[in-house]
Structure formats: C-alpha cells, structure tokens
Amino acid sequence: MSDRYVLENLDPDLAFKIRLQISLRKNALAIGESSNSPGKFLTYISEREKSIASLLNSSGKPVIHFHGQQIYP
C-alpha cells in the first residue's frame, strides 16, 4: 500500500527537496520521450524515485499532493 503525503504539512525544507526531485524526474521523463535512446534516462529516473522515497522514509511508492493536486507519481 502506498503512503500519502501532503507537502504543505511537511517541513518546508523537506518539501522543497521533494519538489526538486519530482521536477528532475518529470524533466527526465519528458526528455527521455523525445530521445533516440530513452533507456539512458531510466537509471536517472529510478534514482530520483529512490531519493523521493528516501526523503519520506517510505518503503513503497509514495503518493504526493501539493495544493490539492497529486503531483507524484
């Protein structure tokens, strides 16, 4: 089962770090889609996902909301 987080309820510094990792992942997904070799981005995307889970001490894939909208996954 996934853990649910609301960024507004977290420490502002932690919330910023999480939003940064989500943005980096989102950019890598977008660039990978238009790349001739999208596989190169899979490792990087996986690292961002692990970083997000680690920041939240989550063992599963967390569900993250920000201002009422789900922003991850």
Side-chain angles (χ1 to χ4, degrees):
M1 184 167 186
S2 298
D3 296 326
R4 184 177 183 273
Y5 298 91
V6 177
L7 288 183
E8 296 87 39
N9 296 339
L10 300 176
D11 173 74
D13 290 332
L14 177 60
F16 173 79
K17 291 176 186 177
I18 293 167
R19 288 178 56 209
L20 177 61
Q21 293 301 314
I22 291 171
S23 294
L24 292 170
R25 177 186 176 271
K26 182 179 177 183
N27 287 340
L29 286 168
I31 294 169
E33 288 176 1
S34 62
S35 173
N36 291 336
S37 50
K40 291 182 178 181
F41 293 90
L42 295 178
T43 302
Y44 182 79
I45 292 165
S46 177
E47 289 173 1
R48 300 291 62 81
E49 291 171 351
K50 289 177 185 174
S51 180
I52 292 165
S54 175
L55 286 166
L56 293 168
N57 293 319
S58 176
S59 58
K61 192 164 197 170
V63 175
I64 302 173
H65 289 79
F66 184 60
H67 293 302
Q69 292 186 323
Q70 183 175 326
I71 62 169
Y72 181 82

